[in-house]
Structures are given as C-alpha cells and as structure tokens.
C-alpha cells in the first residue's frame, strides 16, 4: 500500500474502522493488530538502532512516524496506532522513566506520600510535544480510509508500573499498595485520570481519529478492587474526555476482567470493547456485541504458531462476530518472535483472499 504525504492527504479518516466504531457492519471486518509496529518487523529492527534509548525513539517524530507507518505499508491495515508507550505519562508527570534493553521499563518506584508530592500537579504537555508532532505527521501521511489510533494506559495499569517501578508478572507491589495505602492510591489515580484526559484530548487535537485505553493489568485485581481502581477511573476518564470532546471515539481494552466485562461494556461509555484472548467469541457475540462493537480476539501465540490451526480459529472468530460490528484484532499484542508470513496469512484470511 502506498503511504505518502502530499496533496489530498486527509486530516481525518472515514473508512471501515470508523464506520464500525459507529456501530455499522458492512462486509468483512476492519483489521489492525495491537503492537503491530515493533520487533517482529525487520524494517523496525533496522531503524530501532537509530535512537539510543527506547524513549529517545518514541520522542523522535521522524522515527516514531516511520515505525507507525511501517505495518500500514506492509499489510494495509485499516488503522495505524501511534508508536509510543503508556509510560510517557509518568515521564511527563516528572517520574524518572527509562527502558533497559531487553529488560522492560524501569521507573523510580512511587511508595510514599513524599514520592507522590514530587510529581507535577498536572501533565507537562510540553514534554510530550514530540508525540503530538508524530500524530500530526502520521495523520498527514495516511490515506483517508486508514484511521490513526492514539492511546494511553488506564489509570490503574499506569499506576501499577509507577508503584512497582518495573514489569512484574502479577502487579504484586501495586496490589499490596492498594490495600495498605488506599488514600494515596486514590490520589494517584485521580491525578492519572486528569493527566490522561489532557493527554488524549491533545492527541485528538493533533489528528488522532480514535483512542484506545489499555487496562492491561485490570485482571490482576479481585472484583471489588477492580470496580474501584479499574472500572470507575476508566468510566470517569471517558466521561471527562467527552465533556471536552463530545465526538471522541474511544475503545477500552481491559484485560482478564472476566465476569465484569458486561458491566464495563454497559457502563463505561466506550464506543467499542476490546476482548482479550480468554473470552469465548460465541459468548461475546451474544452478550457483549449487542451492547457495543467488539474488537479482538485471536491469541497472539496462535499467530506465532501459524499453520492451518491459525486459519481455523480466524474463521471461527469471523463467523462468531459476523452478525454485528466487529474489528478484527488479537487478544493482546503481537509477540516479537512472530513470523511476518503468519501475519500476512492472517491478513489474507480476514480479507477473504487466502
Ligand atoms: O504498535 C503498537 O501497538 C504501538 C506501540 C505500543 C503500545 C500501544 C508500545 C510500544 N507499547 C504500547 C502500550 C503498552 N506499553 C502497554 C499496554 C499494552 C500491552 O498490554 O501490551 C503496556 C503494559 C506497556 C508497558 C511496556 N512498555 C512494556 C511491558 C512490560 C511488562 O509489564 O511486561 C514494555 C516491554 C514496554 C516497552 C515497549 N513499548 C513498545 C515497544 C515496542 C516496547 C519494547 C521496547 C524495547 O524493548 O525495545
């Protein structure tokens, strides 16, 4: 697919992805993949070395624009997702954030009222200026039918990294903090709700057509805690963003929320609900899709494995959601070892040409 700036470059998208978010269904579902830019692509590995750290890469509009566009050129996805990271928000609140190569993120852990008081009272949008420049550049380079998705982490998921200071397998430090210091956590969550509204609003201003809120660690919480730290802040974030930007198109992806998925879909106010890998498509077609358009939910490991099993499950997901609005996606991000040919196979299958 040709991706180039110039005359006729659109400021907003109006293709199948946007129509699906509006609740329409026409033919094959639109397709994009979480983490569609990244290490599984040889062209990404080639440009990754041009910036020193991962944050330098995210804050270089030329490189971040290129990384965002690479999967669109190769696969012609219906949406591009801004190349950045959820942890630029703690960075723009004044927390120290870095990425050691191969080790994941590293932050100065937030543990006390003193640590919280050292954060800025409001997001420093100036520190994020390169991100907004990337959004502008990408939007100007995309065809009109291709949407640009901006994003942020949900308050709980971002807080969990701010508290632990690193990746963990189960967000144990943040969950413990929630029990020991609920008032401090509430203040941090409130700060992140406001920061996220500012951040997403500015991404729309720069040209994003939709945004996705990633609550990747919602499922680490027991039900009552999830209601307080996961669902309530996301609902407030969406409400406050809509007060500023009534037409904002918003997808919520809350991972592993099991029994509270229906409550989320019914109350959070998002335009579409992301389904993770564990959700049964047949169940979701009956229970979630009548409430809101759905997005998902192929297992990224099956995409890595490939073969005929991949086709079978893609067909099953397509069939399950064929009766209503559906955006085809994975149930979580692409894994770095995924063969590019398997992604090509998936694209052909979803498009009905392979
Ligand atoms: O293509 C895209 O999807 C856009 C780029 C993108 C997005 C949407 C990146 C690039 N990160 C994210 C969001 C993000 N970052 C999430 C939410 C989605 C998810 O659950 O995967 C989370 C939890 C993070 C935090 C983060 N950043 C991690 C996970 C740590 C853990 O707990 O295991 C990691 C490894 C990063 C760094 C990162 N972000 C993105 C990339 C390509 C990388 C790897 C950088 C590198 O090591 O070179």
């Amino acid at each position: 697919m040709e991706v180039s700036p110039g005359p006729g470059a659109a400021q907003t998208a109006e293709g199948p992805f946007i129509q699906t978010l509006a609740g329409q269904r026409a033919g094959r579902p639109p397709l994009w993949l979480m983490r569609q830019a990244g290490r599984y692509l040889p062209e990404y590995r080639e440009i990754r070395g041009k910036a020193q750290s991962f944050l330098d890469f995210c804050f270089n509009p030329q490189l971040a624009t290129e990384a965002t566009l690479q999967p669109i050129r190769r696969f012609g996805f219906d949406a591009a997702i801004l190349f950045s990271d959820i942890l630029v928000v703690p960075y723009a609140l004044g927390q120290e954030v870095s990425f050691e190569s191969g080790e994941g993120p590293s932050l100065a852990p937030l543990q006390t009222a003193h640590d919280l008081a050292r954060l800025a009272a409001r997001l420093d949008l100036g520190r994020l200026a390169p991100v907004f420049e990337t959004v502008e550049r990408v939007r100007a380079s995309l065809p009109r039918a291709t949407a640009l998705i901006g994003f942020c982490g949900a308050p709980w998921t971002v807080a969990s990294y701010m508290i632990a200071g690193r990746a963990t397998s189960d967000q144990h430090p943040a969950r413990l903090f929630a029990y020991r210091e609920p008032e401090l956590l509430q203040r941090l969550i409130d700060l992140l709700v406001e920061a996220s509204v500012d951040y997403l609003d500015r991404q729309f201003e720069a040209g994003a057509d939709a945004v996705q809120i990633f609550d990747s660690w919602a499922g680490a919480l027991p039900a009552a805690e999830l209601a307080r730290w996961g669902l309530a802040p996301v609902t407030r974030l969406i409400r406050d963003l809509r007060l500023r930007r009534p037409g904002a198109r918003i997808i919520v992806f809350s991972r592993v929320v099991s029994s509270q998925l229906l409550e989320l879909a019914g109350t959070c106010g998002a335009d579409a609900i992301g389904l993770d890998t564990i959700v049964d498509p047949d169940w979701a077609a009956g229970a979630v899709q009548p409430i809101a358009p759905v997005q998902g939910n192929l297992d990224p490991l099956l995409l890595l494995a490939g073969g005929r099993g991949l086709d079978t499950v893609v067909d099953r997901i397509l069939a399950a959601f064929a009766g209503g609005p559906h955006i085809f996606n994975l149930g979580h991000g692409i894994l770095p070892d995924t063969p590019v040919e398997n992604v090509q196979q998936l694209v052909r299958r979803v498009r009905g040409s392979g």
Side-chain angles (χ1 to χ4, degrees):
M1 147 166 297
E2 197 183 327
V3 179
S4 65
Q11 287 312 301
T12 52
E14 54 184 29
F17 173 85
I18 296 297
Q19 287 160 3
T20 305
L21 284 185
Q24 295 163 22
R25 168 88 207 191
R28 298 242 154 208
L31 165 69
W32 72 281
L33 302 177
M34 290 187 275
R35 292 278 179 107
Q36 65 192 19
R39 267 178 297 170
Y40 78 104
L41 285 177
E43 59 269 37
Y44 172 81
R45 296 196 295 270
E46 205 165 289
I47 61 167
R48 174 61 189 83
K50 292 190 179 174
Q52 271 224 317
S53 74
F54 178 67
L55 267 190
D56 291 339
F57 191 94
C58 290
F59 287 145
N60 180 319
Q62 197 192 339
L63 293 174
T65 299
E66 177 59 20
T68 306
L69 294 175
Q70 283 176 343
I72 306 302
R73 285 200 198 99
R74 195 186 262 269
F75 303 112
F77 290 125
D78 295 286
I81 182 160
L82 167 70
F83 192 88
S84 180
D85 195 79
I86 62 169
L87 299 178
V88 300
V89 165
Y91 170 81
L93 285 169
Q95 192 173 19
E96 277 169 50
V97 180
S98 64
F99 290 84
E100 334 282 347
S101 66
E103 304 261 329
S106 169
L107 301 83
L110 187 155
Q111 322 239 274
T112 63
H114 180 68
D115 296 337
L116 184 61
R118 284 174 48 198
L119 294 179
R122 227 173 157 152
L123 193 69
D124 183 350
L125 289 168
R127 280 193 126 185
L128 298 172
V131 176
F132 307 129
E133 186 183 334
T134 302
V135 171
E136 281 170 22
R137 287 184 183 220
V138 172
R139 186 55 267 170
S141 303
L142 285 173
R144 204 174 170 81
T146 310
L148 173 57
I149 305 170
F151 70 91
C152 71
W156 160 252
T157 287
V158 175
S160 72
Y161 287 98
M162 295 176 80
I163 293 162
R166 61 192 159 86
T168 67
S169 61
D170 61 356
Q171 299 304 349
H172 175 131
R175 287 156 57 211
L176 190 58
F177 190 86
Y179 292 125
R180 285 188 171 151
E181 301 283 358
E183 277 149 36
L184 271 190
L185 181 58
Q186 188 66 58
R187 277 162 52 200
L188 177 58
I189 292 276
D190 290 348
L191 175 64
L192 287 168
V193 168
E194 207 179 320
S196 305
V197 171
D198 286 345
Y199 184 44
L200 295 181
D201 182 43
R202 190 67 189 79
Q203 291 183 46
F204 277 116
E205 190 71 37
D209 300 294
V211 295
Q212 177 156 317
I213 301 169
F214 287 89
D215 211 350
S216 304
W217 289 102
L221 293 165
E225 300 292 305
L226 174 61
R228 178 169 184 188
W229 307 119
L231 308 192
V234 165
T235 304
R236 196 146 48 91
L237 197 175
I238 293 174
R239 188 200 62 197
D240 291 355
L241 183 57
R242 287 251 166 77
L243 286 177
R244 275 201 226 167
R245 212 165 264 281
R249 301 181 186 99
I250 305 165
I251 304 169
V252 166
F253 174 66
S254 286
R255 223 158 56 81
V256 209
V257 292
S258 59
S259 57
Q260 275 158 298
L261 191 58
L262 289 185
E263 190 188 334
L264 178 77
T267 61
C268 78
D271 296 280
I273 298 294
L275 305 174
D276 67 37
T277 306
I278 63 164
V279 175
D280 173 11
D282 289 320
W283 172 83
V288 185
Q289 211 178 16
I291 305 174
V294 292
Q295 174 177 280
N297 73 337
L298 184 85
D299 189 345
L301 264 179
L302 184 52
L303 182 62
L304 194 159
R308 292 200 15 227
L310 172 61
D311 290 343
T312 305
V313 175
V314 168
D315 291 352
R316 206 180 291 155
I317 292 171
L318 289 171
F321 295 124
H326 173 220
I327 297 163
F328 199 100
N329 205 316
L330 302 176
H332 201 187
I334 295 186
L335 297 160
D337 294 335
T338 303
V340 170
E341 309 81 73
N342 293 4
V343 179
Q344 197 63 63
Q345 179 186 337
L346 167 76
V347 171
R348 282 198 299 265
R349 198 80 185 174
V350 173
R351 297 256 152 90
S353 56

